[in-house]
Amino acid sequence: MRDGYKLQKVVGGSNEHCCVPLCTGSSRYNTELSFHRFPKHTGHRTQWLHKIRRPGFTITPHTEVCSRHFTKDQIRTTAKGRRFLTANAIPTLFEWNAYSNETRAGVWERRTRPTMSPEPGPAETEEDSQTSHGDEDVTVALIRPSRGQQGAWQECATTIQSEKNLMAEIIARAFRYKTVKFIVTDNNKVGVLYRLIQLSIVGYIIGWVFVTKKGYQENDDAILSSVVTKLKGVSVTNTTESGLMVWGPEDYAIPPQGEAVTFIVTNFIETPNQKLGLCLKDDENSKGTCEIYGWCPIEKQVNPQKSLLSNAENFTIYIKNFIQFPKFDFAKSNVHETTNKSYLKECQFSDEHNLYCPILRLGNITKRAGYNFQDMASRGGSIGIMIEWNCDLDRGYSNCHPQYRFRRLDITISNTSIASGYNFRHTQYFRSNAGERSRTLFKVYGIRFSIMVHGKARKFSIIPTMINIASGLAMMGAGSFFCDIVLLHLMKERTTYRERKFEGTRSKKSAISTTTEMVEEGLENR
């Protein structure tokens, strides 16, 4: 029991607190108190703030004053037990005036303060009121705080209460929830704009994301590939240095075992019977040259004019490619799956008819790269053979096909680079019966074929499908966002729309209390 009010803990319900300094009124522990919001009239509200000694206090919709600070004639009670304030009610009862409206005595009406030391009782004497401790006399007296100390204590208590209210307001704002409010506007222009944005987003999701980019499928770009090459063809050359020679794959294919990169000899310059010794750097009849020690005679400095292996364009290259997509456990090759052993002996590659016959004629390869074989064969060159596997595994194993592309790699766009062509040197060593050592130097020209394999496999997966659908639904909100910008900032009725768009809410109890106060205030004004 405190000041006539019973303190009793309330279970459930919302908690209301009094904002008056030094007041601990709370609906959680006192069911007999009522709590009242500040009046809306500015002058009336200023009087309240002045009375509760909080002139700079920020009032929120939840700031309330309990009924302890109002006189009984300012509080009305309805038949159902609800309490309301009169129209001109002002809080006047506080801790610092002992909850009383009695006015303080004037300066000339003040009474003499009682002495600080207590009067001795009937059984006490003046000697009994003092106790001797050695040479000192200690008088026991009741000490009251001074007015300055009371003001400091009151200011400290007010500061603590303000900090508590501020912390409570911060916590309340942190846990507020903002919900979307839908307003139907009869504006045809904005409605048409909104539908156009929605249709554009739907078209983008269906046409681009799902149809073009296959957004409902999971991709595997980590293709595993193995390439084996084999060359076939025979050519005959007849030169002054070497005479009549027959060239087979073991002679013109480097390396002969066949890899993803292979070189085919199409032309050569031969310097035979070189021996170690002293020789001139240039021709023996020239003057002013240096004598060097090396393989003599030195290499012939001539430019090839015509390909010696001119019929090499009819040679064939067999490209066997095996690929795997480990994520989907899928494997395939570019060779037709058949038990007919004569198939590879008779077939020849064609994009339309024999896609799975990987036997390609060299002349056709250079032609599809955009160049003439004989022009490349004289000085050499480099050709890239790209095999690309784009497999839609949802359509089945039989719909995964290789695609071939051919491109010359050793030439620039201007086609005037001195670095074009391809050649290198190699030697053949001999030893005579007398033990004399010699060699034949070959500067060979040819075409270097580089087989490059790329690929990607796709298969339906629920995860990318749901991600793209969710992204599309999120993008649908862009239409509402853009139309809200138009309505809030560009339309003539933007002020009305803002008032209806943004609205705050309060608890049910607070709303009922505010409505009732407005009704009571209206009745008083009448």
Side-chain angles (χ1 to χ4, degrees):
M1 182 76 70
R2 181 176 178 179
D3 298 330
Y5 293 97
K6 182 180 180 181
L7 299 179
Q8 181 179 359
K9 185 174 181 180
V10 180
V11 180
S14 60
N15 298 332
E16 296 176 298
H17 304 275
C18 182
C19 68
V20 177
L22 304 180
C23 181
T24 58
S26 172
S27 63
R28 181 176 178 84
Y29 295 99
N30 201 320
T31 58
E32 298 184 6
L33 291 178
S34 60
F35 294 83
H36 308 277
R37 298 183 183 276
F38 278 71
K40 294 186 177 180
H41 189 269
T42 305
H44 199 182
R45 178 178 293 192
T46 304
Q47 290 180 346
W48 279 40
L49 292 174
H50 178 72
K51 286 294 184 179
I52 68 173
R53 297 184 179 181
R54 302 190 74 172
F57 182 61
T58 301
I59 300 174
T60 68
H62 304 284
T63 306
E64 296 172 323
V65 178
C66 70
S67 57
R68 298 175 62 184
H69 307 288
F70 298 92
T71 58
K72 294 182 179 180
D73 59 339
Q74 293 177 335
I75 301 176
R76 292 185 178 182
T77 305
T78 63
K80 294 184 179 181
R82 290 188 175 275
R83 295 179 180 179
F84 305 102
L85 297 178
T86 60
N88 299 321
I90 297 176
T92 56
L93 307 178
F94 306 102
E95 182 77 20
W96 50 84
N97 62 9
Y99 292 93
S100 174
N101 280 332
E102 295 182 1
T103 58
R104 295 180 59 185
V107 177
W108 304 105
E109 298 177 0
R110 291 184 180 177
R111 292 173 291 178
T112 305
R113 293 184 179 181
T115 58
M116 302 301 293
S117 58
E119 295 292 336
E124 293 181 349
T125 62
E126 186 175 354
E127 289 79 6
D128 295 334
S129 63
Q130 297 182 355
T131 305
S132 176
H133 296 274
D135 297 332
E136 298 180 357
D137 292 336
V138 179
T139 302
V140 179
L142 179 62
I143 301 176
R144 293 184 179 180
S146 64
R147 183 174 298 178
Q149 290 176 335
Q150 290 180 353
W153 292 350
Q154 181 177 345
E155 183 179 357
C156 180
T158 304
T159 303
I160 294 174
Q161 186 66 26
S162 300
E163 292 178 353
K164 289 182 178 179
N165 293 337
L166 178 61
M167 184 60 66
E169 181 66 20
I170 293 174
I171 295 174
R173 290 188 178 185
F175 292 97
R176 286 175 184 170
Y177 170 70
K178 295 181 180 179
T179 184
V180 179
K181 182 179 181 180
F182 295 95
I183 299 177
V184 179
T185 58
D186 295 331
N187 192 311
N188 295 332
K189 294 181 180 179
V190 178
V192 171
L193 176 63
Y194 179 63
R195 296 306 177 191
L196 287 176
I197 294 175
Q198 283 187 326
L199 288 175
S200 301
I201 294 173
V202 171
Y204 165 77
I205 295 171
I206 296 176
W208 178 256
V209 176
F210 285 104
V211 177
T212 305
K213 291 298 182 179
K214 309 292 183 182
Y216 56 89
Q217 293 179 325
E218 185 179 6
N219 297 330
D220 184 8
D221 300 329
I223 183 173
L224 302 180
S225 174
S226 174
V227 176
V228 178
T229 59
K230 186 184 295 185
L231 285 155
K232 284 189 176 182
V234 178
S235 181
V236 178
T237 61
N238 190 2
T239 62
T240 305
E241 294 82 1
S242 301
L244 189 64
M245 288 185 61
V246 178
W247 294 73
E250 63 278 3
D251 300 314
Y252 59 74
I254 302 173
Q257 67 269 22
E259 296 178 357
V261 178
T262 186
F263 176 80
I264 299 174
V265 177
T266 57
N267 203 359
F268 63 93
I269 297 175
E270 181 182 0
T271 306
N273 198 24
Q274 285 187 322
K275 298 179 182 179
L276 285 174
L278 296 173
C279 56
L280 297 177
K281 187 176 182 181
D282 293 326
D283 188 76
E284 294 180 354
N285 297 324
S286 62
K287 297 180 180 179
T289 58
C290 297
E291 189 177 49
I292 62 172
Y293 178 81
W295 292 96
C296 302
I298 62 174
E299 181 184 6
K300 296 179 180 180
Q301 301 296 325
V302 295
N303 292 323
Q305 300 297 326
K306 184 180 179 181
S307 172
L308 295 178
L309 279 73
S310 58
N311 65 334
E313 64 178 329
N314 295 318
F315 293 173
T316 59
I317 180 171
Y318 172 36
I319 304 174
K320 186 163 52 175
N321 179 216
F322 297 92
I323 59 102
Q324 288 185 6
F325 292 103
K327 180 183 288 188
F328 304 126
D329 195 21
F330 178 84
K332 198 172 184 179
S333 73
N334 65 336
V335 182
H336 180 57
E337 296 181 358
T338 179
T339 57
N340 185 4
K341 296 182 179 180
S342 62
Y343 173 76
L344 294 177
K345 296 180 180 180
E346 300 173 355
C347 72
Q348 193 169 2
F349 174 79
S350 172
D351 287 330
E352 298 178 357
H353 305 291
N354 285 323
L355 183 62
Y356 285 90
C357 177
I359 299 177
L360 293 86
R361 180 174 171 270
L362 300 187
N364 293 338
I365 294 176
T366 56
K367 183 178 180 180
R368 294 189 61 171
Y371 293 88
N372 182 271
F373 181 86
Q374 296 299 330
D375 294 339
M376 292 186 64
S378 61
R379 299 185 61 86
S382 179
I383 294 289
I385 302 175
M386 280 72 73
I387 305 176
E388 190 166 359
W389 297 81
N390 287 322
C391 301
D392 187 352
L393 302 184
D394 292 331
R395 302 176 62 184
Y397 178 88
S398 59
N399 287 284
C400 179
H401 305 299
Q403 296 178 354
Y404 292 82
R405 291 184 295 115
F406 308 91
R407 190 176 186 86
R408 185 170 180 178
L409 305 178
D410 66 308
I411 199 166
T412 59
I413 297 177
S414 61
N415 201 14
T416 58
S417 175
I418 61 174
S420 61
Y422 190 86
N423 65 80
F424 64 91
R425 294 169 176 83
H426 74 92
T427 58
Q428 293 179 356
Y429 289 89
F430 306 94
R431 188 179 294 274
S432 65
N433 294 331
E436 187 179 12
R437 191 178 182 186
S438 63
R439 75 174 189 179
T440 298
L441 174 64
F442 291 92
K443 182 179 181 181
V444 296
Y445 298 83
I447 301 177
R448 184 176 186 262
F449 293 95
S450 302
I451 295 94
M452 294 165 280
V453 182
H454 306 279
K456 179 171 65 175
R458 303 183 303 273
K459 193 174 184 180
F460 173 78
S461 177
I462 190 64
I463 295 177
T465 303
M466 295 304 298
I467 291 175
N468 286 312
I469 291 176
S471 300
L473 294 176
M475 291 178 63
M476 296 292 285
S480 301
F481 175 76
F482 185 75
C483 291
D484 279 348
I485 292 177
V486 174
L487 288 171
L488 288 171
H489 303 285
L490 303 180
M491 302 299 292
K492 294 181 179 180
E493 301 84 1
R494 54 182 176 270
T495 303
T496 304
Y497 182 76
R498 286 178 190 167
E499 293 176 354
R500 295 183 177 273
K501 177 69 176 177
F502 303 105
E503 180 179 326
T505 60
R506 290 177 293 180
S507 63
K508 183 177 180 181
K509 184 175 181 180
S510 300
I512 294 174
S513 177
T514 303
T515 305
T516 309
E517 289 178 5
M518 293 174 63
V519 173
E520 290 290 335
E521 187 174 352
L523 293 174
E524 288 293 330
N525 292 335
R526 289 184 180 181

